[in-house]
Amino acid sequence: MSERDEPITGLGKVVAPIRPKHSPNRRDGRTVGVEEEFLLVRGRGELADDGDEVVRDAAGRDPDGQFEHELKQAQAELGSSPASDLDALEADLRRLRREFVTAAADTGARLIASGTHPSARHPATTADQRYRRMTEAFGLVARQQLTCGMHVHVSVDSPEEGVAVIDRVQRWLPLLTALSANSPFHHGEDTDYASYRSVLWGQWPTAGPTAPFGDLDTYRRTQQALLDTGAALDDGMLYFDIRLSANYPTVELRVADVNHDVGTAILIAALGRALVDTAARAWRDGVSRSAERIEALRASAWRAARWGMAGKLVDVADQPAQRPQLRPAWECVETLLSHVADSLAGSGDVERVRHELRRLRERGTGADEQRAAHRTGGFDAVLDALTVRG
């Protein structure tokens, strides 16, 4: 790995970032790329501390793939190439997943796609100087952290456009959390949350939604303040729900749980791209952004993590009322689809998004599926349901 590669993903390790194949422009459409974090287990779900070996094996099989270790030894991460077409993105994710599945099997382990491990405790930290610094600085938060997310990179034309996008999509992000919710269990018990990963991740001091920045200078000053206070050790630890990439022309949406179903990953990627494009168009057209308070954004994110698609969420309209309107989650999805309709049509993603939403509604979220498996066969059945099989 080149020393010039900077930390831009996951927990801020040094990785090879998602590399755009061309500069983003309106003729080619916005590119979108996905990063997925997975757990490694063996036996009846014991953590398999084989992340480094699995990453090396996968990278040896596929030198063009992006495979990286994570904070914990029982984790591994992949990153797709940027794509304009969702079918190409899906094919890339399936190929990279197969490489990980094969590499894990060679160590006697299997790959698990869940925002949290349903029952395991005491994860081992990867032997890395930076991770040791993180553990020293953040104590139990770092020692016990074992979460797996899915991050979506969407191309932007400039950092200024990126900040304008960040300010305009914050209120929509809880819906992506709800749709991707896949972490109901933790330490062997049902947490009553659909995405308990979101709760655990929120323990990092820089994690969560952000107040409006207004401009790039304010974003950079906020970034530096977090570094100066020690809340982040470097730019890679700016764990905002959506942030600017450190080196490449993308914004990164970081609110989704990883999912076993590739279709869910494609759905979140498509909606994320549509949200970014819609926000950028509004900024270019001079449409003013709404000004939700950070407390309201946190409350909305909490509801999404708590109930997923099974409860009522904050219905986001272009001109939000003085009091939040709580509506069934699937009604809120229709509000989202109306908001991004032009962007979905422009990218040709309408039918694919509608198809994946129908599939998700029929089978339930990952959290629903985990609970159904647990009712029939306990945690053994949950782990079987979460196993990625290539």
Side-chain angles (χ1 to χ4, degrees), residues 102-219:
T102 300
D106 286 347
T107 70
R110 52 178 165 155
L111 204 66
I112 298 296
S114 179
T116 57
H117 191 293
S119 57
R121 301 171 184 256
H122 309 304
T125 300
T126 298
D128 178 278
Q129 182 178 1
R130 186 176 180 285
Y131 293 152
R132 285 194 291 271
R133 289 178 57 221
M134 289 172 62
T135 302
E136 291 170 0
F138 298 98
L140 191 62
V141 170
R143 292 199 301 273
Q144 289 192 347
Q145 191 69 222
L146 185 66
T147 60
C148 292
M150 170 191 157
H151 306 150
V152 176
H153 280 263
V154 182
S155 60
V156 290
D157 285 340
S158 67
E160 289 79 8
E161 182 182 78
V163 171
V165 164
I166 289 169
D167 284 353
R168 286 166 171 78
V169 304
Q170 293 275 347
R171 58 201 174 108
W172 299 98
L173 296 183
L175 271 169
L176 302 188
T177 300
L179 288 165
S180 67
N182 186 36
S183 48
F185 297 109
H186 183 60
H187 286 180
E189 66 176 300
D190 193 324
T191 65
D192 292 327
Y193 280 77
S195 174
Y196 197 64
R197 178 203 63 85
S198 301
V199 177
L200 295 172
W201 188 253
Q203 295 175 340
W204 294 105
T206 63
T210 51
F213 295 105
D215 53 48
L216 179 60
D217 181 62
T218 302
Y219 183 95

Side-chain angles (χ1 to χ4, degrees), residues 306-385:
R306 177 64 175 84
W307 284 286
M309 297 303 295
K312 291 184 176 182
L313 303 179
V314 177
D315 187 39
V316 180
D318 289 338
Q319 296 296 327
Q322 292 298 312
R323 298 183 62 184
Q325 302 298 308
L326 299 181
R327 303 191 190 284
W330 286 104
E331 290 184 15
C332 295
V333 170
E334 291 301 321
T335 302
L336 169 61
L337 293 178
S338 177
H339 175 68
V340 299
D342 289 345
S343 291
L344 287 177
S347 60
D349 294 342
V350 174
E351 290 305 315
R352 181 62 186 273
V353 165
R354 287 287 187 183
H355 170 72
E356 296 300 344
L357 285 171
R358 285 193 296 270
R359 289 183 63 242
L360 185 62
R361 192 165 190 175
E362 288 170 1
R363 72 177 188 275
T365 63
D368 297 328
E369 292 183 306
Q370 285 199 43
R371 287 185 169 122
H374 187 263
R375 286 193 294 271
T376 61
F379 286 120
D380 287 346
V382 173
L383 291 168
D384 285 342

Side-chain angles (χ1 to χ4, degrees), residues 5 53 55 65 76 97 143 173 202 207 227 230 253-254 271 290 311 347 374 385:
D5 287 333
E53 183 177 350
V55 165
R97 283 182 173 206
R143 292 199 301 273
L173 296 183
L227 295 170
L253 291 75
R254 302 169 51 82
L271 291 175
S290 58
S347 60
H374 187 263

